[in-house]
Amino acid sequence: MVSSTVYIVPDLGPILFKGIFEAFWLIFTSSWWVWLLIIAIKILPLIVRKLNKKITVSRKLKKGEQIRGNLDLLDWIGKLSHKEFELYVAELFRKLGYKTDVVGGSGDGGIDIVLEKDNKKSYVQCKQYSSKVQVDKVRDFYGAIVSKFADVKCYFITNNYFTLPAEEFARDKPIELIDGQKLVKYVKWAEKESKELKSSVNECPQCGGILVEREGKFGKFYGCSNYPNCHFTKRL
């Protein structure tokens, strides 16, 4: 009888996997700062570009506040990108006392901005057109809103005009059509509201900061919130 020896070969898969994992883990934990630096190098430029874009848009919108002529203002608005137009309209309503949320058409029915005031929400669609807004655009927006929200007000805002059928459609409905001319009136109204709001609080006449009540060795007084950059004071 011939005897044979059976050799049991161990499964090297788990052992090999464990060894590779431990090697990678050792490399990662011993040089974590390198990985952190690599991630920072990748992400930081994206953050900087986003901040620069935000600053550029903010400066561009600020420029619009300096335009006084109605036609010049309309011409400037017409040159805004769609996103800039949304931000401009949102800032307009913010000055009128609304909380604003720019959703950029991602909401139901192509909603661009959600407004809230006195615990009531309103919905805005912004459209920049080189021609008049047709009735089907207004009908689609209104239909989408009322099918999902009850007892709400809508705003359809454009830099151009609305066709007569579009105006007739909206006449007996809770949707306000704001064309270019009416938008300019809203802008002037918002500027007036903003100035009245600033005058209702103690505003520093030198830098525009807020005058805060303080107390010194000679008694109480108003000092600028931008101190030490601004040294304006006012007696109580």
Side-chain angles (χ1 to χ4, degrees):
M1 178 179 292
V2 179
S3 61
S4 60
T5 304
V6 178
Y7 294 94
I8 301 175
V9 180
D11 186 2
L12 297 179
I15 298 174
L16 184 62
F17 176 78
K18 182 180 179 182
I20 294 173
F21 176 79
E22 289 178 348
F24 272 107
W25 181 252
L26 181 63
I27 294 172
F28 178 78
T29 53
S30 62
S31 57
W32 61 268
W33 60 272
V34 177
W35 293 101
L36 186 63
L37 182 61
I38 293 172
I39 293 171
I41 291 173
K42 291 289 186 180
I43 295 177
L44 191 59
L46 297 176
I47 296 174
V48 171
R49 281 198 295 269
K50 190 171 183 179
L51 287 175
N52 284 338
K53 186 176 180 180
K54 189 174 182 180
I55 292 170
T56 302
V57 171
S58 178
R59 287 175 178 172
K60 188 173 182 179
L61 297 183
K62 276 285 184 183
K63 185 179 179 181
E65 297 179 0
Q66 303 170 5
I67 302 174
R68 290 289 171 257
N70 292 359
L71 293 178
D72 291 337
L73 181 58
L74 268 178
D75 181 63
W76 176 82
I77 291 174
K79 294 176 181 177
L80 296 176
S81 68
H82 183 70
K83 186 64 179 179
E84 290 168 347
F85 187 46
E86 290 175 0
L87 294 172
Y88 182 71
V89 172
E91 178 63 15
L92 172 64
F93 277 95
R94 189 193 65 77
K95 290 179 180 179
L96 294 172
Y98 289 85
K99 292 181 182 178
T100 63
D101 183 17
V102 180
V103 296
S106 62
D108 295 294
I111 298 168
D112 292 316
I113 307 169
V114 179
L115 307 176
E116 185 172 353
K117 189 175 185 180
D118 300 328
N119 295 320
K120 292 184 179 181
K121 289 187 176 181
S122 303
Y123 302 94
V124 181
Q125 185 172 101
C126 303
K127 290 294 181 186
Q128 283 181 297
Y129 284 125
S130 57
S131 58
K132 291 184 178 182
V133 180
Q134 301 295 320
V135 64
D136 60 307
K137 301 296 183 183
V138 179
R139 186 190 298 116
D140 290 346
F141 174 57
Y142 179 74
I145 296 300
V146 297
S147 66
K148 295 183 179 295
F149 307 102
D151 191 27
V152 295
K153 183 173 181 177
C154 312
Y155 296 88
F156 197 118
I157 302 177
T158 182
N159 62 311
N160 211 291
Y161 295 93
F162 294 91
T163 62
L164 183 58
E167 293 177 349
E168 290 177 346
F169 173 81
R171 186 161 294 142
D172 58 346
K173 298 175 180 64
I175 177 170
E176 184 173 350
L177 303 184
I178 300 178
D179 61 14
Q181 295 293 337
K182 195 171 183 179
L183 179 59
V184 169
K185 292 180 180 179
Y186 262 82
V187 171
K188 303 300 182 184
W189 179 27
E191 288 177 354
K192 181 181 177 182
E193 290 285 318
S194 182
K195 288 178 181 178
E196 289 179 355
L197 179 62
K198 286 183 178 179
S199 65
S200 67
V201 298
N202 289 320
E203 183 181 0
C204 176
Q206 288 188 3
C207 71
I210 303 298
L211 296 182
V212 182
E213 187 176 318
R214 304 184 188 278
E215 187 168 359
K217 61 181 180 179
F218 298 111
K220 294 182 178 182
F221 66 97
Y222 282 121
C224 183
S225 60
N226 290 327
Y227 177 86
N229 296 322
C230 179
H231 293 267
F232 180 83
T233 58
K234 177 182 175 182
R235 295 177 63 180
L236 281 171

